[in-house]
């Protein structure tokens, strides 16, 4: 017994080294090299703005989608502006390190409670899980595009998994700031409302309004342009039918490309998904299963948004953690079922929709079953999870109160 205990730390360290090595090789082989394309748009746009031009007039040519613009609210531009003063290589390094650090922190919040119940040290579980998270396509795309998504994820999860369970009066500030940065996180304010977290919901609204008004005071012209014009111009964000657009509207657009899908049909489907998804998220949250509520709300946001790129879809990660939590408490037969479900979700996320399957450059209709499945993998997976993701009992998933 003493020999086993002596060897355990060494075995764990060697396991972590092996996982890190395999993850690094997988990331390198599976990545699509985008050259920090989105980050370069951010930096070019804020530098253009700093030179005295109108922020939302900036456009950058793109071989797939024509022209791409700066589409974030003015508050995001203000936060990004200082990075434009740095050498581009330094900014790229900072964004990459920031994304990796955010993955490590959020992975700790998600897996540490499960690890403790399994009898594993938290560091060991995180050291294995974080590299596996970085291998999935949503994170590969986040890093190689130079995206800011993990900052938003960090803010949202800090509210729901850390501050909320502790009853902090600051719960909601993170969601509010995330909403001011990129609008779609505003659905998490709806989640706070449907789970009757009234104080946190109004705190989030106040934070979003406060920083938005602050941005308007600092940059009134850009704020006016965004809220009265740029926000409503859907042509600024890219082609609807492009395979990377893993939203309901993207699925519909790929069926009829190069024609445009019927807006009424998209709105009807989006409202149905919103109602059903938020009903399930509310059930999860009110039952004490915050992780499932988080995952369901995130998946709904991806489905109903007009355009959802793969780097927006981190939400498969908490969904997989929910499946693992269900497996921990299930009997043998059902345990293997939940584990197989989680493995299937992970496999789809690793294979992805733009890395190995189909770039979807040409505006052509999706006319075979195989193509439909390949080009809409994240949409279909999100819908499956929306229906079948388990809602665990409070004891099945310890909250972050113990973190």
């Amino acid at each position: 017994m003493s020999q086993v205990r002596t060897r355990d730390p060494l075995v764990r360290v060697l396991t972590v080294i092996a996982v890190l090595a395999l993850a690094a090789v997988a990331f390198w082989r599976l990545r699509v090299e985008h050259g920090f394309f989105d980050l370069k748009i951010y930096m070019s746009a804020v530098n253009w703005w700093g030179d005295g031009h109108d922020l939302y007039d900036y456009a950058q040519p793109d071989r797939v989608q024509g022209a791409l613009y700066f589409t974030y609210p003015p508050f995001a531009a203000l936060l990004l502006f200082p990075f434009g003063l740095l050498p581009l290589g330094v900014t790229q390094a900072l964004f990459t390190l920031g994304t990796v650090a955010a993955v490590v922190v959020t992975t700790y919040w998600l897996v540490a409670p499960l690890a403790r119940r399994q009898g594993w040290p938290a560091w060991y579980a995180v050291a294995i899980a974080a590299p596996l998270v970085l291998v999935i396509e949503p994170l590969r795309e986040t890093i190689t595009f130079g995206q800011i998504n993990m900052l938003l994820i960090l803010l949202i999860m800090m509210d729901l998994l850390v501050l909320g369970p502790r009853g902090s009066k600051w719960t909601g500030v993170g969601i509010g700031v995330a909403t001011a940065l990129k609008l779609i996180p505003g659905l998490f304010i709806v989640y706070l409302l449907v789970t009757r977290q009234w104080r946190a919901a109004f705190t989030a609204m106040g934070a979003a309004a406060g920083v938005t008004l602050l941005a308007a005071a600092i940059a009134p012209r850009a704020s006016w342009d965004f809220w009265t014009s740029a926000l409503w111009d859907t042509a600024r964000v890219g082609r609807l039918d492009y395979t990377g657009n893993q939203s309901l509207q993207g699925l519909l657009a790929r069926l009829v490309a190069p024609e445009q899908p019927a807006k009424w049909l998209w709105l009807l489907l989006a409202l149905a998904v919103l109602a059903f998804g938020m009903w399930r998220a509310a059930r999860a949250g009110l039952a004490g299963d915050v992780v499932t509520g988080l995952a369901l709300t995130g998946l709904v946001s991806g489905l109903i948004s007009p355009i959802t790129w793969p780097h927006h879809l981190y939400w498969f990660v908490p969904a997989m953690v929910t499946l693992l939590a269900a497996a921990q408490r299930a009997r043998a037969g059902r345990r293997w079922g939940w584990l197989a479900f989680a493995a299937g979700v992970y496999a789809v996320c690793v294979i992805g929709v733009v890395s190995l399957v189909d770039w979807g450059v040409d505006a052509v209709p999706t006319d075979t079953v195989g193509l439909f499945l390949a080009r809409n993998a994240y949409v279909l997976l999100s819908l499956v999870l929306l229906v079948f993701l388990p809602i665990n009992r409070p004891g099945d998933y310890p909250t972050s109160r113990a973190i």
Side-chain angles (χ1 to χ4, degrees):
M1 182 67 72
S2 61
Q3 285 183 326
V4 173
R5 286 176 180 169
T6 301
R7 292 177 57 190
D8 275 350
L10 178 60
V11 171
R12 284 171 176 162
V13 169
L14 291 176
T15 302
V16 168
I17 292 173
V19 170
L20 284 170
L22 289 172
V25 171
F27 185 97
W28 184 258
R29 295 295 298 271
L30 295 172
R31 83 195 192 289
V32 175
E33 186 52 67
H34 297 297
F36 295 93
F37 185 79
D38 288 359
L39 178 59
K40 290 175 180 176
I41 291 180
Y42 302 158
M43 297 302 101
S44 297
V46 296
N47 287 333
W48 158 277
W49 188 33
D51 289 338
H53 303 288
D54 289 337
L55 175 63
Y56 295 101
D57 284 346
Y58 178 81
Q60 183 163 306
D62 178 65
R63 69 181 181 88
V64 176
Q65 303 186 80
L68 296 176
Y69 299 80
F70 186 85
T71 58
Y72 294 169
F75 178 61
L78 291 173
L79 289 186
L80 290 168
F81 190 84
F83 291 99
L85 305 177
L86 301 173
L88 182 59
V90 173
T91 300
Q92 291 171 347
L94 290 173
F95 271 58
T96 301
L97 291 172
T99 293
V100 172
V103 167
V104 171
V105 172
T106 52
T107 301
Y108 173 74
W109 289 340
L110 287 170
V111 308
L114 296 183
R116 293 191 182 105
R117 196 171 67 200
Q118 194 72 21
W120 291 6
W123 71 265
Y124 180 54
V126 174
I128 290 176
L132 297 178
V133 171
L134 286 165
V135 168
I136 66 173
E137 186 182 71
L139 266 299
R140 299 198 305 264
E141 294 282 285
T142 294
I143 290 173
T144 56
F145 269 118
Q147 270 285 341
I148 66 169
N149 297 294
M150 283 309 300
L151 170 61
L152 309 180
I153 302 300
L154 188 72
L155 291 169
I156 292 167
M157 290 178 63
M158 178 184 67
D159 272 349
L160 296 183
L161 297 186
V162 180
L163 298 181
R166 295 175 180 174
S168 172
K169 67 179 180 180
W170 299 104
T171 305
V173 171
I175 290 173
V177 172
T179 301
L181 283 169
K182 210 171 177 180
L183 298 187
I184 196 64
L187 190 61
F188 286 91
I189 299 178
V190 178
Y191 171 76
L192 293 174
L193 290 170
V194 297
T195 53
R196 305 170 193 168
Q197 299 180 62
W198 311 117
R199 177 171 179 166
F202 286 108
T203 298
M205 293 179 202
V211 294
T212 298
L213 291 173
L214 176 63
I218 298 172
R221 175 62 183 271
S223 296
W224 175 262
D225 289 345
F226 177 78
W227 294 106
T228 63
S229 178
L231 173 61
W232 313 103
D233 184 1
T234 56
R236 299 175 62 90
V237 293
R239 271 173 40 194
L240 293 178
D241 68 285
Y242 179 49
T243 298
N245 179 18
Q246 290 293 298
S247 68
L248 287 169
Q249 186 160 229
L251 181 150
L252 294 174
R254 284 185 287 276
L255 288 174
V256 299
E259 303 300 323
Q260 293 297 307
K263 290 293 184 184
W264 67 267
L265 179 58
W266 168 63
L267 286 171
L268 186 64
L269 289 175
L271 287 172
V273 166
L274 175 64
F276 177 76
M278 295 313 297
W279 170 71
R280 290 214 71 217
R283 285 188 62 202
L286 292 171
D289 188 353
V290 184
V291 175
T292 299
L294 169 79
L296 289 169
T297 305
L299 292 169
V300 170
S301 71
L303 287 167
I304 68 172
S305 176
I307 288 188
T308 298
W309 303 126
H311 55 257
H312 295 154
L313 290 171
Y314 168 86
W315 306 111
F316 294 125
V317 176
M320 285 185 278
V321 171
T322 288
L323 294 171
L324 293 177
Q328 272 193 335
R329 290 287 186 173
R331 295 179 179 176
R334 292 177 62 86
R335 179 181 302 124
W336 286 110
W338 290 125
L339 290 174
F341 195 173
V345 174
Y346 187 74
V348 172
C349 291
V350 170
I351 295 169
V353 294
V354 296
S355 299
L356 302 177
V357 179
D358 176 29
W359 279 84
V361 174
D362 297 327
V364 295
T366 302
D367 53 7
T368 68
V369 173
L371 197 58
F372 177 80
L373 294 175
R375 298 190 71 188
N376 299 293
Y378 289 157
V379 184
L380 300 174
L381 181 59
S382 296
L383 290 171
V384 168
L385 288 168
L386 218 60
V387 175
F388 295 108
L389 199 64
I391 296 175
N392 297 307
R393 296 167 301 178
D396 290 344
Y397 189 92
T399 68
S400 297
R401 192 184 299 274
I403 290 178

